[in-house]
């Protein structure tokens, strides 16, 4: 066994002996990162094309985030929700501006996407209506309320009974959604793009139809932008490409640039349904996390990363399509949220082959690879990956394909 194999085996053993078995044992121990590159405990480097599952919007150890966090922690690290502070106020105001709802919205800060969706579900409950309609294969988190919204029975079954009143319809099917929503529906809960399902983009007009259906029935439209928000799709929020405004927006992942931060934004009447004492979280709006988020938003805007994400994402899709590899069924995505659907359940093998060549990608489904790289990924590194992807796919596919 090589020294590298010994090191990974030792880390795996320590993991199994200290960490609850809620995840598979990692096969790689990371030690540091810079930009789009991470380094393992043995000094091997990898191009990180997953970004902590769409979290590292600016990559690793970005100077703007590091500076903001370092400065804030020397001033004020935590205050609870009994007191206000400038980073939280500035961040709330900025998010409302970016969403186009300043003056008509309010923000609740929390620590994760699941927490943001729990807050959204409680907002829905406060309408007094009993039911919520969500989508098959959607993913909204693993806490009990968020899990009830998640349209994946394999994740739900071990924890039943879940909170009641949630039904699921096929994603992208406006007619099915229309049939399911009525005067007892408190809210429709959707992802603009289903990330964990394999980067599934709904048909044109679907979100507009969801908005109209919600309005016609007096229901809220809740959009889970945990994975798609903060520039991931080339827009500040994915709903902006559709020309609509939801009643509730949930955020996390890229918002904190690597620090744990979530947000639930209520718009119009949804901004005021939760009253004092009805919801809270101790660490929500933490000054250090808010300072990091402000640095993320400023950098995305000042460096033109929305346009960059659109351009590079399209180039990656086109380049993979030009490979004409027999293992590839479809390449899809928006901005820097991409998927490569394969012609068999070879995604795990492809991800392992990619890692051996210095790339970290995610087998999000047995037949699908997900890419969610930092928004700063440049064309050169993207082209290097696509060049090597042909060999990766050929190895996973049994040696076939063009090179």
């Amino acid at each position: 066994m090589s020294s590298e194999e010994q090191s990974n085996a030792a880390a795996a053993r320590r993991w199994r002996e200290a960490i609850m078995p809620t995840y598979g044992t990692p096969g790689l121990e990371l030690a540091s990162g810079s930009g789009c590159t991470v380094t393992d405990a043995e000094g091997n480097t990898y191009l990180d094309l997953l970004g902590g599952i769409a979290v590292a919007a600016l990559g690793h150890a970005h100077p703007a985030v590091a500076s903001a966090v370092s400065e804030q922690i020397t001033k004020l690290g935590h205050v609870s929700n009994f007191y206000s502070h400038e980073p939280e106020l500035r961040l709330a105001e900025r998010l409302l501006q970016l969403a186009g709802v300043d003056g008509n919205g309010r923000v609740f800060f929390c620590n994760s996407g699941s927490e943001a969706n729990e807050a959204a579900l409680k907002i829905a409950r406060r309408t007094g209506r009993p039911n919520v309609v969500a989508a098959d294969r959607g993913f909204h988190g693993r806490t009990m309320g968020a899990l009830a919204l998640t349209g994946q029975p394999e994740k739900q079954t071990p924890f039943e009974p879940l909170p009641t009143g949630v039904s699921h319809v096929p994603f992208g099917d406006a007619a099915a959604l229309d049939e399911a929503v009525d005067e007892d529906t408190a809210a429709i809960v959707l992802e603009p793009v289903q990330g964990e399902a394999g980067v599934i983009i709904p048909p044109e007009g679907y979100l507009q139809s969801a908005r109209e259906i919600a309005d016609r029935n007096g229901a809220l439209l809740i959009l889970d932008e945990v994975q798609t928000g903060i520039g991931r799709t080339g827009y500040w929020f994915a709903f902006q490409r559709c020309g609509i405004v939801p009643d509730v927006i949930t955020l996390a992942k890229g918002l904190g640039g690597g620090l744990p931060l979530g947000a639930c934004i209520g718009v119009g009447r949804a901004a005021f349904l939760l009253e004092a004492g009805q919801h809270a979280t101790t660490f929500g709006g933490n000054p250090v996390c808010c300072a990091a988020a402000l640095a993320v938003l400023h950098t995305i805007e000042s460096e033109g990363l929305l346009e960059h994400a659109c351009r590079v994402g399209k180039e990656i899709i086109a380049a993979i399509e030009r490979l004409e590899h027999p293992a590839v069924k479809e390449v899809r995505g928006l901005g820097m949220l991409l998927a490569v659907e394969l012609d068999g359940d070879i995604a795990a093998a492809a991800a392992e082959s990619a890692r051996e060549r210095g790339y970290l990608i995610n087998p999000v489904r047995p037949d699908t690879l997900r890419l969610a790289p930092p928004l700063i990924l440049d064309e050169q590194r993207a082209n290097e990956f696509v060049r090597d992807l042909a060999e990766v796919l050929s190895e996973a596919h049994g040696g076939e394909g063009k090179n």
Side-chain angles (χ1 to χ4, degrees), residues 128-259:
R129 295 183 173 192
N131 300 327
V132 173
V133 178
D136 291 336
R137 299 181 69 192
F139 182 81
H140 302 284
R142 295 176 186 269
T143 50
M144 293 297 279
L147 187 59
L149 297 173
T150 293
Q152 300 181 28
E154 69 276 12
K155 292 182 173 65
Q156 295 176 321
T157 300
F159 303 101
E160 293 176 338
L162 296 170
T164 59
V166 181
S167 61
H168 295 85
V169 296
F171 184 63
D173 187 336
L177 184 64
D178 193 12
E179 185 176 354
V181 177
D182 58 25
E183 65 275 7
D184 288 328
T185 303
I188 299 168
V189 183
L190 300 169
E191 298 164 273
V193 177
Q194 288 191 330
E196 298 301 313
V199 190
I200 306 301
I201 302 169
E204 289 295 324
Y206 176 68
L207 291 182
Q208 292 93 327
S209 294
R211 175 72 277 176
E212 190 276 329
I213 292 166
D215 288 342
R216 179 158 31 86
N217 290 278
L220 302 176
L221 176 61
I222 299 173
L223 292 187
D224 178 343
E225 294 256 12
V226 170
Q227 191 158 159
T228 56
I230 315 301
R232 175 57 50 187
T233 66
Y235 298 80
W236 284 113
F237 305 93
F239 70 79
Q240 291 172 327
R241 68 184 284 268
C242 303
I244 64 167
V245 178
D247 300 294
V248 180
I249 308 158
T250 59
L251 299 169
K253 289 191 180 291
L255 178 60
L259 277 72

Side-chain angles (χ1 to χ4, degrees), residues 340-374:
V340 182
E341 186 174 342
L342 307 172
D343 73 342
D345 292 348
I346 59 172
E352 177 61 26
S353 178
R355 194 184 84 178
E356 292 171 356
R357 288 166 172 79
Y359 302 101
L360 300 184
I361 58 179
N362 172 230
V364 65
R365 308 288 294 179
D367 64 349
T368 306
L369 298 169
R370 174 175 53 177
L371 308 177

Side-chain angles (χ1 to χ4, degrees), residues 295-311:
V296 169
L297 299 181
H298 174 75
T299 302
I300 290 174
E301 183 173 49
S302 63
E303 296 187 1
L305 294 181
L306 298 183
E307 297 81 4
H308 178 82
C310 277
R311 184 179 68 256

